[in-house]
Amino acid sequence: MQTNDYCILSYLSSNQLDQPIDQVGRIIQIFNQSNITIADRHGTIHHSLLLTGLLKQQISQASDSLTVGDFVSFENKAGQLVISDVLPRVNQLSKNISSARKSIHVKSGVQLLAANVSDVFIVVACDQRFTIALLERYLLAFSLNHVQLHILLTKRDFRQGFTQISQLIEQAYPKLSCLSLSIYDQTVWLFLTRFYQPKVLRSLLVLLEPANRRLLIS
């Protein structure tokens, strides 16, 4: 039976990394540096991993952070699984952020969204306000080498909105991959099968507009 290895085997093979396979995992959820969830090559999920002191120091000095999709080395120390290293990223997705407590104090930076992804889905609900300008912001932010961009139109049953939005996208970006679905369609999840290959799993980052939520699928 084929197990989901979260792309670990293909990642190590493609990047020719000499890492013990059973000590490589992939981050699938992060609460904080004391509560990280990873999956190993067998598809087993491990919760509440910590970072080693050395890795914390390296991340702090580099002003970097871990993110969903990172491949990591982990080990067992005194019965507790810990993450000891972050493996090189193939790519990373991020966005600019800013905050202000007062009008004269504005703090800006970059927020990592995910790493090591192959496909980005920009999800647009057909019952919400849509503009090409908003879509262009997402296309500009997430256009990376070796990452395929797709538009996923949800709530296709809102026919008027679906027709208007799909026509606008087709006119502005005729070569852009555009998919659609509805919960009333019994084949709602079949669209994923074209991106899922049993031997070469792909990672998908789903961006939900306008809530800006995200999900990594392998």
Side-chain angles (χ1 to χ4, degrees):
M1 181 177 178
Q2 180 72 30
T3 59
N4 185 355
D5 74 345
Y6 289 83
C7 305
I8 293 172
L9 296 180
S10 60
Y11 166 78
L12 292 176
S13 175
S14 299
N15 293 278
Q16 300 180 342
L17 297 177
D18 186 19
Q19 295 280 340
I21 295 178
D22 286 328
Q23 293 181 11
V24 175
R26 193 171 194 189
I27 296 178
I28 59 175
Q29 192 172 36
I30 297 179
F31 292 101
N32 52 56
Q33 289 191 350
S34 300
N35 193 349
I36 298 174
T37 301
I38 70 168
D40 63 24
R41 75 178 185 95
H42 302 291
T44 304
I45 307 300
H46 304 278
H47 299 278
S48 303
L49 272 74
L50 306 174
L51 305 183
T52 62
L54 179 59
L55 181 57
K56 283 184 180 179
Q57 183 179 6
Q58 291 173 343
I59 290 176
S60 176
Q61 291 176 346
S63 298
D64 200 358
S65 61
L66 296 177
T67 189
V68 171
D70 271 331
F71 293 99
V72 297
S73 294
F74 69 96
E75 55 188 285
N76 192 317
K77 287 191 175 183
Q80 169 68 53
L81 291 181
V82 296
I83 296 174
S84 57
D85 195 13
V86 182
L87 303 183
R89 291 170 179 158
V90 176
N91 55 46
Q92 65 182 45
L93 295 177
S94 61
K95 69 173 184 177
N96 293 326
I97 58 173
S98 63
S99 61
R101 294 182 180 178
K102 295 181 180 180
S103 59
I104 60 173
H105 292 130
V106 178
K107 184 178 181 180
S108 60
V110 174
Q111 177 188 4
L112 280 176
L113 300 178
N116 307 308
V117 299
S118 61
D119 294 82
V120 173
F121 286 82
I122 301 175
V123 182
V124 180
C126 293
D127 65 339
Q128 295 179 350
R129 182 176 176 272
F130 171 83
T131 65
I132 286 295
L134 180 61
L135 175 62
E136 288 176 342
R137 286 171 49 196
Y138 279 82
L139 295 178
L140 180 62
F142 302 114
S143 293
L144 296 174
N145 291 333
H146 310 299
V147 174
Q148 183 66 43
L149 283 173
H150 312 270
I151 304 299
L152 180 58
L153 301 180
T154 63
K155 302 184 180 181
R156 187 179 58 201
D157 45 289
F158 287 85
R159 295 185 180 181
Q160 182 177 357
F162 169 70
T163 301
Q164 292 176 347
I165 293 173
S166 59
Q167 288 179 349
L168 284 173
I169 295 175
E170 173 65 23
Q171 292 170 3
Y173 297 96
K175 296 183 179 180
L176 189 61
S177 170
C178 190
L179 308 172
S180 63
L181 58 86
S182 167
I183 61 171
Y184 300 106
D185 185 348
Q186 296 300 314
T187 60
V188 62
W189 292 112
L190 289 183
F191 82 96
L192 277 177
T193 60
R194 62 178 287 194
F195 301 100
Y196 180 90
Q197 302 175 24
K199 294 183 179 180
V200 184
L201 298 176
R202 304 163 71 106
S203 303
L204 315 175
L205 178 69
V206 180
L207 300 170
L208 301 182
E209 204 331 279
N212 197 30
R213 288 170 288 176
R214 56 194 186 275
L215 173 66
L216 183 73
I217 306 174
S218 293

